[in-house]
Each structure stands twice: as structure tokens, then as C-alpha cells.
Amino acid sequence: MSPLRLAVTGYVSEEAGSVASANALLLRALLERGCEVVFFSKASFVDPRPAVGAHPAFRFVNVENRAADRLRARVAKVPFLGFLAARWDSASYHRALLAGMRREHGASPFHAALWLGEYARGPLPGAAVISYAQGPPGTDARSILHRFGEICALAGLATAWKWRLLAALRLSRLGLPPLHWSERIIVGSRQSCQTLEQRYGIAPQRLAALPYPIDLAHFRPAADARAPGGPLRVLWLGRIIPRKRLDLFLDAAALALRQGVDLRLTVVGGVGFIPGYERLLRAFPEPARLEWLPHLPREEVPALFARHDLLVQPSEEENFGSSVAEAQACGLPVIVGATNGNADYLCEHDLRLADDAPQTLATALAAFATKRAGGTASRQLAERCFALDAVADRLLALLQERRGGG
């Protein structure tokens, strides 16, 4: 079979967040496996050339939509007008992407179009169209609706209603991305596949679950093991947004402390799109036991894991929490939420919560404090599930399976 010629777009960066850095690993792996990649993007938005630009089988095509981009920047902070301008900017940018792909396709046909981190916005006749998405659409919008009372208390009634209306727009036909253009949708977990099937009616044969790869050379257990004993050092890592359930983490930790569990807590992450969530941290009843780091450079995350005994991610509708997988790669046990897709990838030392009751998590923290684990089993799971070669081979097989004529 001839090597794949791919039209690729999406979020790729070695310096950005976990998804973009995982996509950089995958793009490099596809090139190393003989694929030819033409990447389409606005250079001011996503430029993968620092990661893969030196490879002889890679080419970058710059795509611009200057007028819509300028309007979005001018009105970004205007309620609703900013949302509509962002939608126009997105639509015009995706039209330009598709036009660029089709021009190149006409000159030298592609076997497949691969959209990394988002859903395909149109067809590429004669080529397979595959989306490796960050998860089902609307997860944050649904969390805003579910947690409206909490947002009112933390951010105020006006801000809460603004985000409630924006969430409703996001979940409407105006806000949801098209799903019908993707011949195959790849997401990080079976949890996300089930959501796409049950909520959006996607046929199971169009879905595949594939975790993101983790850089196992960078994320690895520390050479010096921490001495046993002392308080259980618990880490919460991620953006502070409603869906990530910082409120549940803090409520459960406060319960556990009142019940005599010796804890030291670290929260790492900045407040996301809804201001006011930092009030949860300031209201914690035992502030001497809590440290908040709004930002930490990505290269320092392995050392952060080495200073802790446990990672807790109680997120709702989590597709695939890269921080959970990275913690496991560093030998750290994890606790994940009841609707967290990382439940697909747990070892015997990890725990999936049965519900989102604070007492359930408090009980789990007490159990981890008395019987600490992790280490070899967590690392071995990461090597089985998140190794770049294994994930890249599976992705390549999915691309080959759906390849067009080219």
C-alpha cells in the first residue's frame, strides 16, 4: 500500500497545552511512518513548523481570513456580539481552510483529511475525512447549565445569566460544530463515544476511542522516591472552570480534614472563562493546608507530581484528562470522577468515584491516606496505554482503514 498523503489541520504545538503537545507528537510520528503531510492553518493561530517543519515530507500552507479576524478582536469583550463575531470568524476561517485543502487536492490528491482537536467542517471529495476531537461538543456549556446556582454565588447574577445564555447558544444549532462531515470520529475514551452515540446520534461504527500519547521520557517517576509517612499530599491540576469540579474537591477535602485525615492540598491552575471561582479557594476552612499555584510551566509538572502522593480529577464529562495520564506515567495513583473517560485507563491503585457526593471522595481520600500505592503499577499502565508508538500505530491503522483514492 502506498504511503498516505494527508491534509491536516488543528491544534499542534510543543509549547502549549496537553492536547496540542500530544498532537505534535502524533504529527511527528505519522511523518516518521512515511506519511506526507500538508498542514493548513493561520500561522498567527497555529504554526506547527517549530515542531515538525524540518521534516522533508512536511509542508505548511498559510490560510488567512483577515477581515473576520480583525472584527472578532475588536468586539471580543462585547456580550453576544463577541460570540457572534467569533462564530463568523470561525466559519470564515474554516471556509478558507477547506478552500486551501481543495486547491491542493485538485493538484495532487490526498488520501485523507485529518482534523486534530476539532471536528471537520466540510468534505474533501475523494478523500476520507477523519476528526480526532477533544471530546463531544458542549461539555462546558452543559456544565454551566448544571452548575448555574454555583456560578451565581461565585460570579454574580449578571455574569451567571450571561454565561447561561451563551451556553444555550453553544448548545443550539448555531453553536454546535457539524458532526456529519466526519466519516470517522476519534475521541479519547469510551465515555466520549457513548456521549456522541446517545446524545448526538452518531452510529457506533463511525466512532473510535484512542487516548492521547504521553511523552514517557519526560513524564516518568522521580529517581528519588519520597520517604513514606507524613500527610497525604493531594494534587488538583487543571483549569478552574465549572466542569472540573474544584468545588467537589475542596468540599471533600474539608470533610476529610474534619474527620481526622491528615492532608496537604495543592491546586495548580488559573481561573478559566468565569471569574470568581478563586473565591472557592479563599473560602477553604483550613487555608494553612492549601496552596494555590495559578500557573506552572509545563516542564516543571513532572517535579510537581514527584512532590505529591495522589492526583484527584473529579471532572464531569471528561474526554481524556492528560494530566491524569501524565501523573500515572510519573508513578502517581489517581482518583477520577464518575463521568471521567480516564476510567478506561486505570490500574489497581486508581479509583473511579461512584458519584459526585463530597463524602464519597472524602472516604476515598481517607483510604488512600492509610494505604498509599502507585509507583510501578501506574507506570506500567502508562507504558501500555499511552506510549507514542502504540497510539500512533493505531491512528495510522484508522487512517489506512478509511483512506480515499488519493
Side-chain angles (χ1 to χ4, degrees), residues 221 328-329 331 347-348 375-386:
Q328 290 169 312
C347 74
E348 64 268 26
T376 302
S378 297
R379 175 66 184 189
Q380 288 174 345
L381 177 133
E383 290 172 348
R384 288 196 308 273
C385 297
F386 313 134

Side-chain angles (χ1 to χ4, degrees), residues 73-147:
R74 288 193 189 108
V75 302
K77 295 184 179 179
V78 180
F80 306 111
L81 180 59
F83 174 85
L84 293 174
R87 300 311 298 170
W88 181 46
D89 180 34
S90 174
S92 67
Y93 174 56
H94 287 125
R95 283 196 301 271
L97 282 176
L98 288 167
M101 288 182 181
R102 288 165 184 163
R103 280 194 303 271
E104 293 281 337
H105 188 51
S108 180
F110 294 108
H111 294 104
L114 176 61
W115 295 65
L116 292 171
E118 62 174 332
Y119 290 94
R121 300 308 173 112
L124 192 61
V129 177
I130 298 171
S131 300
Y132 194 171
Q134 296 185 44
T139 54
D140 283 330
R142 285 190 288 275
S143 75
I144 289 169
L145 299 180
H146 294 160
R147 313 218 54 81

Side-chain angles (χ1 to χ4, degrees), residues 42 52 86 135 144 149 154 160 194 222 238 241 252 296 306 309 340 355-356 362 377 397:
K42 180 165 47 181
V52 294
I144 289 169
L154 294 170
Q194 290 169 3
I241 57 175
L296 187 74
D309 303 301
N340 190 315
D355 53 48
D356 63 354

Side-chain angles (χ1 to χ4, degrees), residues 116-294:
L116 292 171
E118 62 174 332
Y119 290 94
R121 300 308 173 112
L124 192 61
V129 177
I130 298 171
S131 300
Y132 194 171
Q134 296 185 44
T139 54
D140 283 330
R142 285 190 288 275
S143 75
I144 289 169
L145 299 180
H146 294 160
R147 313 218 54 81
F148 179 69
E150 175 183 281
I151 297 169
C152 284
L154 294 170
L157 192 61
T159 297
W161 270 104
K162 180 189 81 170
W163 282 104
R164 185 184 181 98
L165 293 172
L166 286 172
L169 272 174
R170 179 69 177 88
L171 294 171
S172 71
R173 292 185 64 183
L174 180 65
L176 289 172
L179 302 176
H180 58 283
W181 296 120
S182 305
E183 297 175 32
R184 176 69 72 123
I185 297 173
I186 306 169
V187 284
S189 63
R190 289 177 295 173
Q191 159 81 21
S192 292
C193 287
Q194 290 169 3
T195 300
L196 285 164
E197 183 180 353
Q198 295 169 7
R199 188 177 290 275
Y200 295 103
I202 305 300
Q205 60 268 26
R206 290 177 57 201
L207 299 170
L210 184 66
Y212 292 116
I214 301 299
D215 185 348
L216 296 177
H218 182 62
F219 293 97
R220 59 187 179 186
D224 299 324
R226 183 198 172 204
L232 182 72
R233 300 184 301 177
V234 185
L235 175 64
W236 190 97
L237 174 61
R239 294 175 301 147
I240 300 177
I241 57 175
R243 184 174 60 82
K244 297 292 187 178
R245 298 304 310 271
L246 178 62
D247 63 306
L248 172 56
F249 173 76
L250 294 175
D251 287 347
L255 266 176
L257 286 165
R258 287 200 298 272
Q259 293 164 6
V261 183
D262 190 5
L263 301 177
R264 293 293 185 273
L265 311 172
T266 306
V267 172
V268 178
V271 176
F273 49 85
I274 300 179
Y277 265 73
E278 68 278 1
R279 293 177 63 187
L280 289 171
L281 295 157
R282 293 175 184 146
F284 190 70
E286 297 199 41
R289 293 179 176 265
L290 173 65
E291 180 183 15
W292 177 33
L293 302 174

